[in-house]
Amino acid sequence: MELTVKLTTEQVIDFIRQMPGEERLAAILALAEESLPGRAERMKSLESNVRELCAERRLDWNTMTDEERQDFINDVVHEDRQCAQ
């Protein structure tokens, strides 16, 4: 037996808001991923480009801390600063 529940958009949003933080984030990310066709492929391509930029600067994305990654991306994004080498 299959049961179907119909909820309004507001009810779904309210339900998601009641979820614990990590579960809420996982649900939102899953919904966002489904709503943007080709997003996963674009993300893989972008990740490959970032890793390539790191390699050109003799950096290893895999061994960088989150702070180092953020600094690196900021350096790449902001043209008025030099990237750390």
Side-chain angles (χ1 to χ4, degrees), residues 1-15:
M1 178 174 150
E2 191 172 312
L3 179 64
T4 301
V5 176
K6 292 191 177 202
L7 300 173
T8 66
T9 301
E10 291 80 20
Q11 289 172 315
V12 172
I13 292 169
D14 192 43
F15 176 74

Side-chain angles (χ1 to χ4, degrees), residues 13-61:
I13 292 169
D14 192 43
F15 176 74
I16 291 173
R17 283 185 175 147
Q18 294 175 37
M19 298 171 75
E22 288 182 20
E23 291 177 23
R24 182 175 50 238
L25 179 59
I28 291 169
L29 290 175
L31 292 170
E33 188 171 307
E34 289 178 12
S35 69
L36 300 172
R39 180 184 182 275
E41 292 78 22
R42 286 192 306 276
M43 290 300 291
K44 284 181 185 179
S45 175
L46 291 171
E47 181 180 339
S48 175
N49 292 345
V50 167
R51 289 178 187 279
E52 193 173 305
L53 285 172
C54 280
E56 289 173 5
R57 291 166 174 81
R58 294 188 171 98
L59 299 170
D60 183 356
W61 182 261

